[in-house]
């Protein structure tokens, strides 16, 4: 085994219709116009020494190592900044150039520590490699003159020496090794877009420094790792490499955090993961990463991880570790007992949006064919099911229309109900780059998210709507577009249902739906809304990106259809730089939906009542399937409280922390006789479990994830499962014990079955995925996949405009509960925090905070950092206050990453009218000073701590 090789071409690739032909070292090469001499040489296999150049950054030309000779050109130009031209004759290696390169390298080495054999980057250092390439054998100047290397010189402190910065938990900065190539500074600017680093000082005093703050941790650095990746020396180095040594082999896999789906090289020593390095060929991330994917993998080895199966007879007893054989036999016996006593529909299951497509597919197969019912649901429904319903209704397919690369061609970007810099940071960096290039931005959000104003990016319009009024805002924008004659009429006539369009146009044209009429309910200034609508309709190619702030509402499906209406009316679907694009929250939300995790749909979004579709599954699985939809999670909990639902199999999902109305979830779980949790840790749901089946991490399994752009990507096993089995193997063991045989030898066999049963996956196979990433649909008509949907027509035929009547939520503010609570995520944490809370990411976010406007805080006597009580009609909780004007008066905001907060104690049972997706984003609350956790929190936390006891490890007192 060896490290996955990557070629660094020195400068970025260029796209151009015109090509130029030149001669390099006697060989002819043809490249696109605008290509550097360095890249032209690299593409023909000739490597030119370099230090400041790398192909993820624009050429800089400072290190002077890449000098070449060009016939007819004076001097020795830098090959990274000199563009190829027709007829050029270039020499990359002459005696003159060799002498110049060695001379420059001598100067670098004279101000660099000569401890290569003990340096953490030994064998992985570009300075070391380049010194060898140029033939440097001695340094005439020595290290006795003025330099940055030694803390003392001539017995006195050296004013040029700087101590290491160890403040960041994941990487260190050693200024003594810095060659001031500026690659880290440029990576922070060009790739990440944070502008957190600068070059301080001038001349010999120059050194990399945080632009604000005393060290990396206190600066604006977001720990994406771009600077570490760009550094050619050990100046910026992962602490894991310092501790464990340079890795010796690697595999390419896919990140298990958000729906961007970044590709990484998992770099190993034996079975020990040394570091995760973003893969340059990753089609979703192009070599970039965020703090979670790059560094927050330590949870895989966390001391709290459970690796042995456990069972208990009641939740008041301690857990008892058992063998896999006993755990599986006991679980199967319990499910059989329950169904025999209470009926076939008394059990069900929940699939995971964190597990692979193959594992999710097996769980829904187990439930439909093994349990004999359709009682299967997924967390994907409680976040993005309105996307499926809304886009399928209007466009004909249940997913986003574009690939991520499309944003590079957008002229106008509308972000609604999403916070990409926190929730989808790698995509946000690409978006910010396009905005810095001149694209215009519209943000529709109750909060002033970072994108509204961040370095070198400022929204043209921020519409700070009142939570719950998305439909009214979008309909008012449509009013402007229709009444001001901004509709793309030729597009609508050719591509859309004209009768439906006319009905919709008449509806939105009514004066009651104008920005002026809507302003009292939305709180968005009418003139600002009109200007935003005009920009969206006339600014060029316009793309809409949205998130849970759209879907997690009682009108989530209506809002998605309103978004599709806007895009169709302006001709912004079916071309690059445009489209309707949901930003999926978890790594495999899209895949969980695709695989048939809903109670009414088989894989590929075909209804269970579809006789033709159902027959395909029945033939392959050898059983008769129920043609009636099963129960969603809330229905299962209701039935449990009613005594009719008694057993549940939950794979990789913590419904007690993630689902709404925590008390209702608690009551439902407590009423069941067999709750089976399959996960990495004893999560909040496991407090009420009777069987715990330890799960495996993404590092310990093979499979696929499908990201937000419908891209199907390989997950590759890099170490043995610490629990003994991958998750798909555990489900297979349970199915066999239940009497429904499964005999897969590898996830590739499961994918073959998925492809045979799911039309959009028909052309997908592991053989292809070894060398390709495919975006479904992959069919005979689209054998290479479909990066861009609806190119020549909509999947449903004619695009369907839908009338989107604004219906205010039933969750009303009033004297008792005058504020509106909305929720979201933060960069360093992920979902319910089960993974990220078990890493050093907690250094940035130790607890959830309640953001409250200064006016509302002063009115209630609330001080910064003090405990506050948040009470709603459903319940109450406490957390600390953060006073900020990022939220408007009347609105409060919090994250939901920490179980001690129990944020969903206060959320209600209101949900989307079409899909039952919970209305997390609108909860009427009152906020008041508090002395600390509520009685309910303390009782629950005490119960949870007791419930997590393991008999052998933690005996009762």
């Amino acid at each position: 085994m060896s490290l996955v090789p990557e070629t660094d071409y020195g400068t970025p690739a260029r796209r151009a219709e015109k090509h130029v032909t030149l001669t390099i070292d006697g060989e002819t090469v043809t490249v696109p116009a605008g290509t550097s001499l360095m890249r032209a040489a690299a593409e023909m296999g000739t490597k030119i020494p370099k230090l400041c150049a790398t192909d993820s950054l624009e050429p800089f030309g400072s290190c002077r190592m890449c000098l070449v000779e060009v016939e007819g050109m004076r001097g020795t130009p830098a090959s990274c900044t000199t563009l190829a031209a027709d007829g050029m004759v270039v020499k990359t290696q002459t005696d003159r150039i060799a002498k110049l390169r060695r001379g420059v390298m001598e100067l670098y080495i004279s101000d660099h520590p000569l401890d290569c054999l003990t340096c953490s980057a030994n064998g992985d250092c570009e300075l070391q490699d380049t010194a060898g390439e140029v033939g440097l054998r001695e340094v005439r100047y020595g290290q006795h003159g003025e330099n940055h290397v030694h803390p003392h010189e001539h017995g006195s402190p050296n004013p040029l020496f700087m101590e290491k910065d160890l403040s960041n938990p994941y990487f260190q900065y050693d200024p003594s090794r810095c060659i001031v190539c500026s690659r880290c500074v440029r990576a922070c600017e060009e790739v990440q877009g944070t502008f957190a680093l600068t070059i301080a000082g001038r001349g010999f005093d120059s050194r990399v420094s945080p632009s604000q703050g005393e060290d990396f941790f206190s600066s604006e650095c977001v720990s994406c790792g771009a600077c570490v990746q760009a550094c050619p020396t050990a100046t910026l180095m992962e602490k894991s490499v310092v501790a464990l040594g340079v890795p010796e082999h690697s595999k390419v896999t896919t990140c298990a955090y958000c729906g961007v789906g970044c590709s990484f090289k998992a770099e190993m020593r034996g079975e020990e993961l040394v570091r995760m390095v973003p893969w340059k060929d990753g089609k979703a991330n192009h070599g970039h990463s965020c703090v979670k994917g790059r560094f927050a993998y330590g949870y895989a080895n966390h001391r709290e991880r459970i690796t042995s199966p456990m069972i208990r007879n009641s939740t008041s007893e301690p857990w008892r570790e058992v063998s896999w054989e006993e755990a599986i036999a006991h679980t199967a016996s319990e499910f059989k007992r329950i169904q025999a006593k209470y009926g076939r529909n008394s059990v069900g299951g929940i699939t995971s949006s964190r597990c692979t497509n193959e594992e999710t597919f097996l769980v829904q197969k187990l439930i439909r064919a093994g349990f004999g019912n359709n009682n299967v649901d997924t967390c994907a429904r409680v976040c993005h099911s309105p996307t499926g319903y809304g886009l399928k209704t209007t466009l004909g397919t249940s997913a986003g229309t574009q690939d991520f690369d499309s944003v590079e061609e957008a002229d106008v970007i509308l972000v609604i109900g999403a916070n990409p810099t926190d929730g989808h940071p790698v995509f946000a960096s690409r978006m910010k780059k396009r905005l810095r290039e001149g694209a215009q931005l519209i943000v529709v959000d109750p909060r002033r998210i970072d994108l509204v104003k961040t370095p070198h990016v400022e929204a043209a319009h921020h519409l700070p709507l009142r939570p719950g009024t998305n439909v009214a805002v979008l309909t008012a924008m449509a009013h402007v577009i229709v009444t001001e004659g901004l509709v793309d009429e030729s597009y609508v006539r050719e591509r859309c249902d004209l009768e439906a369009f006319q009905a919709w146009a008449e509806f939105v044209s009514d004066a009651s739906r104008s920005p002026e009429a809507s302003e009292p309910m939305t709180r968005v200034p009418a003139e600002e809304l009109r200007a935003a609508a005009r920009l969206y309709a006339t600014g060029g190619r316009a793309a809409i990106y949205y998130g849970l702030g759209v879907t997690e509402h009682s009108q989530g499906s209506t809002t998605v259809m309103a978004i599709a209406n806007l895009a169709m009316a302006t001709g912004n679907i079916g071309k690059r730089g445009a489209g309707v694009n949901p930003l999926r929250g978890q790594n495999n939300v899209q895949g969980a939906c695709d695989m048939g995790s809903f109670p009414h749909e088989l894989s590929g979004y075909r209804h269970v009542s579809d006789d033709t579709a159902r027959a395909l599954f029945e033939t392959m699985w050898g059983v008769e399937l129920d043609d009636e939809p099963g129960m969603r999670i809330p229905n299962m909990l209701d039935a449990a409280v009613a005594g009719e639902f008694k057993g549940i199999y939950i794979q990789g999902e913590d419904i007690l922390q993630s689902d709404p109305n925590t008390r209702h979830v608690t009551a439902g779980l407590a009423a069941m006789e067999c709750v089976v949790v399959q996960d990495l840790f004893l999560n909040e749901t496991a407090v009420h479990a009777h069987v715990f089946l330890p799960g495996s991490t993404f590092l310990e399994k093979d499979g696929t994830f499908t990201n937000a752009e419908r891209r199907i990507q390989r997950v590759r096993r890099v170490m043995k499962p610490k629990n003994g089995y991958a998750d798909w193997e555990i489900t297979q063991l349970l199915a066999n014990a239940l009497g429904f045989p499964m005999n897969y030898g590898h996830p590739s066999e499961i994918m073959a079955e998925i492809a045979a049963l799911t039309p959009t996956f028909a052309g997908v196979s592991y053989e292809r995925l070894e060398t390709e990433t495919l975006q479904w649909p992959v069919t005979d008509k689209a054998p290479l996949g479909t990066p861009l949907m609806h190119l020549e027509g909509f999947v449903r035929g004619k695009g369907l405009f839908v009338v989107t009547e604004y219906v205010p939520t039933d969750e009303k503010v009033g004297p008792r509960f005058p504020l509106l609570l909305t929720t979201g995520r933060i960069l360093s944490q992920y979902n319910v925090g089960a993974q990220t809370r078990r890493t050093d990411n907690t250094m940035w976010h130790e607890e959830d905070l309640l953001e409250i406007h200064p006016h509302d805080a002063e009115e209630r006597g609330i001080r910064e950092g003090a405990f506050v009580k948040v009470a709603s009609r459903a319940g109450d909780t406490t957390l600390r206050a953060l006073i900020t004007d990022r939220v408007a008066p009347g609105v409060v905001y919090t994250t939901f990453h920490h179980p001690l907060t129990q944020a969903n104690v206060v959320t209600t049972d209101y949900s989307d009218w079409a899909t039952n997706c919970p209305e997390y984003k609108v909860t009427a609350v009152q906020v008041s000073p508090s002395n600390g956790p509520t009685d309910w929190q303390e009782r629950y936390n005490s119960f949870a701590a007791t419930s997590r006891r393991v008999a052998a490890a933690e005996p009762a007192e």
Side-chain angles (χ1 to χ4, degrees):
M1 294 186 290
S2 62
L3 293 170
V4 175
E6 288 187 326
T7 300
D8 189 340
Y9 294 90
T11 62
R14 302 303 184 193
R15 289 181 292 183
E17 292 184 8
K18 181 184 176 182
H19 282 62
V20 298
T21 301
L22 65 159
T23 302
I24 300 178
D25 293 338
E27 292 189 32
T28 300
V29 60
T30 300
V31 294
T35 301
S36 71
L37 293 181
M38 177 180 284
R39 186 168 187 109
E43 290 185 356
M44 59 176 273
T46 297
K47 183 179 180 182
I48 298 176
K50 58 183 173 56
L51 287 174
C52 72
T54 183
D55 57 14
S56 63
L57 304 173
E58 291 300 316
F60 195 56
S62 71
C63 75
R64 315 311 296 170
M65 293 302 302
C66 69
L67 306 177
V68 294
E69 291 184 2
V70 181
E71 283 189 10
M73 186 178 292
R74 294 179 60 189
T76 51
S79 61
C80 64
T81 55
T82 304
L83 302 185
D86 265 326
M88 259 188 181
V89 177
V90 182
K91 293 181 180 180
T92 68
Q93 188 66 269
T94 66
D95 290 343
R96 178 189 182 198
I97 292 171
K99 184 177 181 180
L100 288 170
R101 288 174 180 165
R102 281 195 296 272
V104 172
M105 180 56 73
E106 276 190 273
L107 294 173
Y108 280 117
I109 297 301
S110 70
D111 191 32
H112 198 82
L114 297 181
D115 58 353
C116 290
L117 292 179
T118 56
C119 177
S120 57
N122 185 27
D124 187 26
C125 174
E126 292 182 44
L127 185 69
Q128 185 183 59
D129 294 342
T130 306
E133 289 171 11
V134 303
L136 183 66
R137 298 294 177 261
E138 63 176 342
V139 180
R140 292 169 293 171
Y141 315 117
Q143 287 193 315
H144 304 296
E146 191 176 28
N147 61 49
H148 301 80
V149 176
H150 304 296
H152 295 86
E153 57 179 17
H154 311 300
S156 301
N158 180 0
L160 297 174
F161 180 80
M162 295 171 60
E163 296 287 346
K164 290 181 184 178
D165 181 350
L166 302 175
S167 61
N168 189 285
Y170 296 121
F171 61 84
Q172 65 181 35
Y173 169 53
D174 184 352
S176 71
R177 300 178 187 275
C178 181
I179 61 173
V180 201
C181 64
S182 296
R183 272 165 57 164
C184 57
V185 177
R186 291 148 56 209
C188 190
E189 295 176 359
E190 296 177 26
V191 179
Q192 169 57 29
T194 298
F195 295 81
L197 299 178
T198 188
I199 300 294
R202 297 172 64 90
F204 198 59
D205 293 333
S206 300
R207 275 296 175 265
V208 172
S209 173
S211 54
Q212 292 186 12
E214 296 181 356
D215 53 30
F216 271 82
F217 187 76
S218 63
S219 74
E220 294 180 337
C221 169
V222 294
S223 298
C224 67
C227 60
V228 181
Q229 181 77 352
C231 182
T233 69
T235 307
L236 287 160
M237 175 64 68
E238 299 95 336
K239 289 182 176 179
S240 59
V241 175
V242 176
L244 302 173
V246 176
E248 41 82 18
H249 74 273
S250 61
K251 284 186 181 179
V252 174
T253 191
T254 304
C255 181
Y257 280 116
C258 79
V260 173
C262 296
S263 297
F264 280 87
K265 296 183 297 180
E267 297 196 340
M268 315 287 294
R269 290 190 68 84
E271 284 217 346
E272 189 163 31
L273 179 60
V274 177
R275 63 183 174 190
M276 296 288 284
V277 178
W279 191 37
K280 282 168 52 177
D281 286 341
K283 298 301 184 289
N285 60 318
H286 297 288
H288 191 34
S289 59
C290 79
V291 62
K292 294 188 287 290
R294 183 72 157 89
F295 298 115
Y297 51 80
Y299 66 89
N301 295 315
H302 195 273
R303 58 183 174 78
E304 292 180 1
R305 185 174 169 190
I306 306 298
T307 56
S308 298
M310 301 189 298
I311 62 176
R312 59 184 175 181
N313 294 323
S314 76
T315 55
S316 62
E317 298 178 2
W319 286 103
R320 178 170 61 89
E321 290 188 0
V322 296
S323 67
W324 273 108
E325 291 76 14
E326 182 178 350
I328 294 296
H330 174 80
T331 303
S333 174
E334 282 293 278
F335 280 130
K336 288 178 181 178
R337 177 188 66 79
I338 289 171
Q339 285 191 298
K341 182 176 180 180
Y342 299 103
R344 179 167 54 88
N345 286 314
S346 59
V347 297
I350 300 173
T351 72
S352 175
S353 291
R354 290 182 287 148
C355 287
T356 65
N357 286 317
E358 295 77 5
E359 290 164 342
T360 301
F361 183 83
L362 282 202
V363 171
Q364 64 88 32
K365 178 178 179 178
L366 167 68
I367 292 163
R368 297 188 200 280
F371 290 175
N373 62 49
N374 289 315
N375 294 336
V376 58
D377 203 358
T378 179
C379 78
R381 187 191 53 76
V382 302
C383 60
H384 262 291
S385 51
T387 286
Y389 183 91
L391 295 186
K392 188 171 185 179
T393 300
T394 53
L395 311 180
T397 191
S398 302
T401 63
Q402 316 291 116
D403 61 10
F404 289 146
D405 288 350
S406 177
V407 76
E408 297 173 1
E409 298 175 51
D411 300 307
V412 177
I413 299 171
L414 191 160
V415 176
I416 175 170
N419 186 3
T421 53
D422 279 4
H424 305 86
V426 172
F427 174 71
S429 292
R430 298 183 68 184
M431 181 186 290
K432 288 191 292 183
K433 183 176 182 180
R434 178 60 188 146
L435 293 169
R436 293 195 301 272
E437 292 170 347
Q440 297 286 296
L441 175 65
I442 302 166
V443 173
V444 185
D445 199 284
R447 265 175 100 232
R448 193 180 69 248
I449 61 174
D450 285 345
L451 273 180
V452 173
K453 189 171 184 180
T454 195
H456 302 279
V457 168
E458 185 169 3
H461 304 286
H462 175 212
L463 311 185
L465 77 170
R466 190 169 185 262
T469 61
N470 286 332
V471 171
V473 166
L474 293 170
T475 302
M477 289 182 69
H479 174 93
V480 175
I481 290 167
V482 172
T483 58
E484 296 188 5
L486 305 179
V487 171
D488 187 336
E489 294 185 4
S490 62
Y491 181 94
V492 171
R493 290 182 187 280
E494 179 186 348
R495 303 272 309 260
C496 302
D497 183 318
L498 279 180
E499 186 176 337
F501 168 75
Q502 288 164 355
W504 172 79
E506 182 179 352
F507 166 78
V508 300
S509 297
D510 191 279
S512 65
R513 296 176 184 94
S514 69
E516 290 74 18
S518 302
E519 183 174 341
M521 68 184 82
T522 66
R523 296 182 183 170
V524 176
E527 278 309 305
E528 189 72 7
L529 193 150
R530 282 189 177 274
R534 291 166 186 151
L535 174 60
Y536 175 77
T538 65
R541 293 171 182 257
I544 300 177
Y545 295 92
Y546 69 89
L548 305 185
V550 159
T551 55
E552 291 180 344
H553 286 274
S554 59
Q555 280 201 289
S557 293
T558 311
T559 307
V560 173
M561 292 187 286
I563 288 171
N565 289 340
L566 281 186
M568 289 188 291
T570 54
N572 274 307
I573 296 181
K575 60 186 180 184
R576 299 202 65 77
V580 173
N581 308 285
L583 295 175
R584 306 291 193 170
Q586 296 190 64
N587 55 299
N588 205 33
V589 164
Q590 183 66 62
C593 299
D594 299 339
M595 292 299 103
S597 295
F598 296 134
H600 64 291
E601 286 179 335
L602 301 164
S603 64
Y605 305 97
R606 291 159 296 169
H607 202 276
V608 294
S609 63
D610 182 332
D611 293 339
T612 303
R614 203 173 61 256
L616 292 173
F617 289 83
E618 291 176 336
T619 300
M620 183 164 283
W621 293 352
V623 296
E624 185 176 336
L625 301 180
D626 194 347
D627 63 355
E628 289 291 329
M631 288 186 276
R632 296 167 174 165
I633 295 171
N635 308 128
M636 296 183 205
L637 296 171
D638 289 341
V641 172
E644 300 165 359
F645 188 87
K646 292 294 183 177
I648 191 167
Y649 172 41
I650 304 173
Q651 180 201 60
E653 185 59 30
D654 190 358
I655 62 171
L656 193 65
Q657 191 178 344
S658 64
D659 280 38
N661 196 340
T662 302
R663 293 186 180 182
H664 179 58
V665 179
T666 300
L669 292 171
M672 297 184 201
E673 295 181 7
C674 184
V675 174
V676 180
V677 170
Q678 182 174 319
D679 217 309
L680 302 176
F681 305 99
L682 281 172
N683 58 25
E684 300 309 297
T685 303
V687 168
H688 297 277
H690 306 88
V691 179
F692 187 88
L693 304 177
S696 55
T697 71
F698 77 110
L699 297 168
E700 301 164 346
K701 64 179 71 169
D702 285 294
T704 59
F705 294 150
T706 306
N707 75 349
E709 52 176 355
R710 296 170 282 104
R711 191 181 299 279
I712 306 158
Q713 302 185 103
R714 284 282 277 114
V715 178
R716 293 179 176 88
R717 172 174 157 171
V718 298
M719 61 179 68
K720 295 176 183 176
K722 290 180 170 53
N723 61 337
Y725 293 103
D727 288 295
W728 68 269
E729 294 176 298
I730 298 169
T731 302
Q732 178 165 277
L733 289 171
L734 181 55
N736 290 332
L738 284 165
F740 178 70
M742 292 185 186
N743 298 294
Y744 305 101
H746 188 268
S748 59
E749 298 170 15
I750 306 173
M751 178 54 73
E753 183 174 316
I754 293 167
L757 291 171
T758 313
T760 50
F761 277 65
V764 179
S765 69
Y766 272 43
E767 183 179 8
R768 293 191 66 185
L769 291 174
E770 281 303 311
T771 56
E772 304 173 75
T773 64
L774 302 166
Q775 290 172 265
W776 68 257
V778 187
T779 62
D780 290 340
K781 292 183 178 179
L784 301 180
T786 313
L788 190 63
M789 296 283 281
H790 317 295
L791 273 171
E792 298 177 1
F794 293 105
V795 171
R796 72 177 307 278
K798 295 290 187 180
L800 183 67
F801 284 84
V802 178
V803 169
T804 53
E805 186 73 64
Y806 168 62
V807 179
T809 174
D810 288 334
E811 179 70 352
K812 303 288 196 299
V813 295
R816 286 184 60 206
F817 306 106
L819 304 175
L820 284 177
L821 169 70
T822 190
T823 61
R825 298 180 179 181
I826 200 165
L827 171 65
S828 60
Q829 296 293 332
Y830 170 71
N831 199 259
V832 297
Q835 293 145 278
T836 44
R837 281 187 287 105
R838 292 174 172 91
T839 71
D840 285 330
N841 280 27
T842 52
M843 290 180 64
W844 288 280
H845 188 74
E846 295 179 335
E847 60 183 327
D848 295 316
L849 302 172
L850 184 80
E851 292 188 8
I852 185 169
H853 190 273
H855 170 78
D856 292 327
E858 183 176 1
E859 200 172 58
R860 290 162 174 77
I862 292 170
R863 293 177 291 105
E864 177 81 11
F867 273 107
V868 294
K869 178 180 178 181
V870 182
S872 74
R873 294 177 177 90
D876 52 54
T877 188
T878 60
L879 61 168
R880 296 183 192 274
L882 173 63
I883 301 174
T884 174
D885 62 0
R886 285 172 66 111
V887 291
V891 176
V892 291
Y893 168 90
T894 190
T895 51
F896 50 85
H897 303 301
H898 292 266
L900 292 178
T901 305
Q902 292 291 323
N904 282 331
V905 167
V906 302
T907 54
T908 67
D909 283 331
Y910 295 126
S911 62
D912 176 52
W913 61 271
T915 66
N916 232 180
C917 182
E919 189 169 47
Y920 292 113
K921 303 304 181 188
V922 186
T923 304
V925 298
Q926 178 59 286
V927 178
S928 56
S930 173
N931 293 324
T934 64
D935 291 342
W936 188 91
Q937 281 176 298
E938 291 183 342
R939 287 197 307 272
Y940 177 79
N941 291 335
S942 175
F943 170 68
T946 301
S947 182
R948 289 192 177 95
R949 259 191 313 120
V950 179
E954 301 176 41
E957 294 181 1

